[in-house]
Structures are given as C-alpha cells and as structure tokens.
Amino acid sequence: MEIYTLAADLKLIGSRVKTFPAGIGEAFDAMIKTLPDGESRSYYGFSNMDAGGNTGYYAAAAEKFPEEAGKYGYERHAIPKGDYLTVSVTGWRTKTACIKDVFHEMMQDERYDNTKPCIEWYKNDDEMICMLYADPEKLLLTAIADEAAELQALFSPLNEEQINAIPFTDSWTAAQLATHITKSNRAMAQALEMEGRPTERSSSQRAQELRDTFLDFTVRYTSPAFIVPAPGYYKKEDVTDALQQSFNSIKKYASEATIADMINLPLFGEITKLELLHFVCYHTRRHIHQLQNILTYL
C-alpha cells in the first residue's frame, strides 16, 4: 500500500447514483457525454454509509470552474487534502466486481480513518486508484514506530565496547546518541501530558518548518543542556531498554492526548501536540543519519 498526498482540496462536480451499484456505469457515461472535454477528464467515485447502513455512491468529475456544477445540473463536492492509503488497480474495467474486496482489505490498516468516504480515482481507461483517508495521528505514530525500529536495528548489533567508543573528535558515542534521544522523548512525553487549549490554526502548520530544520543534515545544532547525555561508560542493556521505553511513552501519551491542542514550551514557543509528534519523527530520523555516520568509523 502506498501513501499519496493530496496537497489541496480537490473540487468535484457530480451527483448521487440513484440505483447503487447497478447505475454506476450509466452515471459516468452520462457525465462523459454531458461535460465538455468529457473524454479527457479525471473521474472519481466516492461512497459513504449513512446512519441507517445504506451506502451512498457519487459519480463525479474534476471541476473546471466554480459555476460548472450549476450549469450542467450537478452538485459541487470536494475531496479533502491530506494523506491517503492507496492501491492501484490495472485493467479495472474487467475487475469491477473485485473493487469492494480491495477496499475491504485496505480497511484493515489501522491508519484508515473510517469517518471519511472511500474514493475511486479513475486515472484513465486502464488504471484506477483506490483511496482511503489516513488518520494524520495514526499515520505519524506509525512513522515514528518505523523510525524507532530502524534506530534499534542499527544499534542492536553493536557490542558494549562499540557503543562506548568515541568514533571521531567532538562526537558522541553511539550510547550517548541513544541516551540523548531517550531524554528528548521523555521530555516530549511529558509535554504531551500537559493541559492544552484549542487552536484556531492548522494543528500541523509547523510540521514543514520542523522537517526542514531537523532533516537539514548540513547544519549542526547544540542540544539543550537537559537532554545532553552525560559522559561515561554505558551498559548496553540499560541504554536499549530506556530507549524503547521512551518510544512506548510517546505512543501512550499521544493516544491519550487531544492531539490538536496547543501548548507553550520554552524551546518551541506555541506548538501543537501533533507538531511535537512531527518533531519526534524528524528528530529520530536526524539521529539515525548520525548513527549511520558513527558506524562507518567503528
């Protein structure tokens, strides 16, 4: 399954299919005949279930101008921007009976936000993309878990002598690097526990800023004193256990927090808890890069 990012809301025009699923093909055919450039447009189908358990299916096309829906007797709709779980189906015309099975399998992914519609994107006569909206928090927590697993995979093969070896001048040891991440994660877990307040801006507004800052490996930063690892000899088991527990704490407190809430921290200023999770992800990725560099010297 791939992740597709829709950078802006996708504006559509269309109408509900009155006889689902039998009338789907007829609805799309009518749109193709009615709309200018009907043969060359991108088409979408999206469906949701009402409180009574009835499926509503809409046939839609990409909007060309705001007044187009009214001009041709259609409704305006929009697919919200965000990240989507996607599966590509080639030769879709011969597989229409199987599309529901593709969606059913996709829905088993824990990142799926079941409050949003299922979307079919008919890119052309051969390829159709099945799309499910990904819950931003769950997607981010999965990314953090993946980063944590990669970090542990790099650290685990090292013996105690190696994790305490200074690879080059002015470098932390591998043990100190892991301890720094642990200290940072503990601080972020405590921040996630703080009482926050609702924010009027996007809860992920600063995510790109954090990404640009911490994934710029050409810049070296000085860590705040409270997360600087102490000098000395570290036991591998203690370092590994503490690191894993720190990531477990992030997951626990993130699941309990109102993730869109705003808090104020000395190091970040005004920041949402969701943005703090972005920081954890990018901070971990930055130190994976540093650990990989350390390993070349050991």
Side-chain angles (χ1 to χ4, degrees):
M1 200 171 328
E2 301 291 332
I3 301 295
Y4 175 78
T5 300
L6 190 61
D9 291 348
L10 180 62
K11 294 180 173 58
L12 306 175
I13 61 172
S15 59
R16 181 168 179 163
V17 175
K18 296 179 180 179
T19 54
F20 174 82
I24 292 176
E26 181 181 349
F28 279 114
D29 287 342
M31 292 193 79
I32 292 171
K33 293 177 182 178
T34 301
L35 298 176
D37 305 319
E39 294 285 351
S40 60
R41 295 200 190 202
S42 287
Y43 287 89
Y44 301 84
F46 58 95
S47 58
N48 49 33
M49 192 172 291
D50 62 24
N54 301 308
T55 299
Y57 185 96
Y58 293 80
E63 181 184 78
K64 290 291 183 72
F65 54 92
E67 297 78 19
E68 188 176 30
K71 182 176 181 179
Y72 296 104
Y74 290 112
E75 305 165 2
R76 296 187 78 197
H77 297 278
I79 295 175
K81 65 182 179 180
D83 293 318
Y84 287 81
L85 309 173
T86 66
V87 170
S88 175
V89 178
T90 56
W92 62 266
R93 288 185 178 276
T94 63
K95 302 174 182 177
T96 54
C98 303
I99 300 303
K100 65 180 185 301
D101 299 323
V102 176
F103 276 112
H104 179 74
E105 184 174 350
M106 293 173 68
M107 288 174 182
Q108 308 314 305
D109 193 302
E110 63 178 10
R111 298 170 293 178
Y112 163 50
D113 182 347
N114 61 10
T115 67
K116 300 292 195 299
C118 302
I119 299 165
E120 302 162 4
W121 174 16
Y122 295 92
K123 293 185 70 175
N124 50 53
D125 282 343
D126 181 62
E127 184 181 14
M128 186 269 281
I129 309 294
C130 296
M131 303 172 61
L132 293 178
Y133 190 80
D135 181 289
E137 179 186 343
K138 292 177 181 177
L139 195 66
L140 191 50
L141 287 174
T142 299
I144 292 171
D146 290 343
E147 299 287 11
E150 184 176 348
L151 180 67
Q152 293 278 24
L154 290 171
F155 191 83
S156 292
L158 303 177
N159 59 40
E160 204 157 284
E161 180 181 352
Q162 289 173 315
I163 69 169
N164 286 287
I166 299 175
F168 50 87
T169 304
D170 294 330
S171 172
W172 285 337
T173 64
Q176 287 176 307
L177 182 146
T179 300
H180 163 71
I181 297 172
T182 296
K183 286 175 172 284
S184 176
N185 285 352
R186 286 172 176 169
M188 293 305 102
Q190 290 176 354
L192 290 170
E193 282 192 280
M194 290 173 60
E195 185 174 349
R197 65 183 190 280
T199 177
E200 295 180 358
R201 66 166 175 80
S202 167
S203 60
S204 59
Q205 181 176 300
R206 295 185 63 187
Q208 189 62 46
E209 168 203 336
L210 294 166
R211 179 185 178 88
D212 292 344
T213 299
F214 288 94
L215 297 190
D216 184 351
F217 302 139
T218 66
V219 180
R220 186 170 182 175
Y221 299 105
T222 300
S223 294
F226 71 96
I227 56 173
V228 172
Y233 191 88
Y234 290 80
K235 291 184 177 181
K236 181 181 177 182
E237 183 178 356
D238 293 344
V239 173
T240 303
D241 289 347
L243 182 64
Q244 186 58 56
Q245 288 172 15
S246 74
F247 280 109
N248 290 344
S249 294
I250 292 290
K251 181 178 180 179
K252 176 180 184 297
Y253 292 120
S255 67
E256 297 172 353
T258 301
I259 215 66
D261 272 3
M262 179 81 74
I263 57 176
N264 190 294
L265 297 176
L267 289 177
F268 296 98
E270 297 285 297
I271 191 165
T272 66
K273 294 182 179 182
L274 180 62
E275 289 163 344
L276 285 183
L277 292 180
H278 279 277
F279 163 77
V280 171
C281 188
Y282 304 141
H283 182 252
T284 306
R285 170 49 53 186
R286 181 178 183 83
H287 288 299
I288 286 173
H289 176 79
Q290 291 181 347
L291 181 56
Q292 289 169 330
N293 188 39
I294 288 173
L295 293 180
T296 64
Y297 289 88
L298 295 181

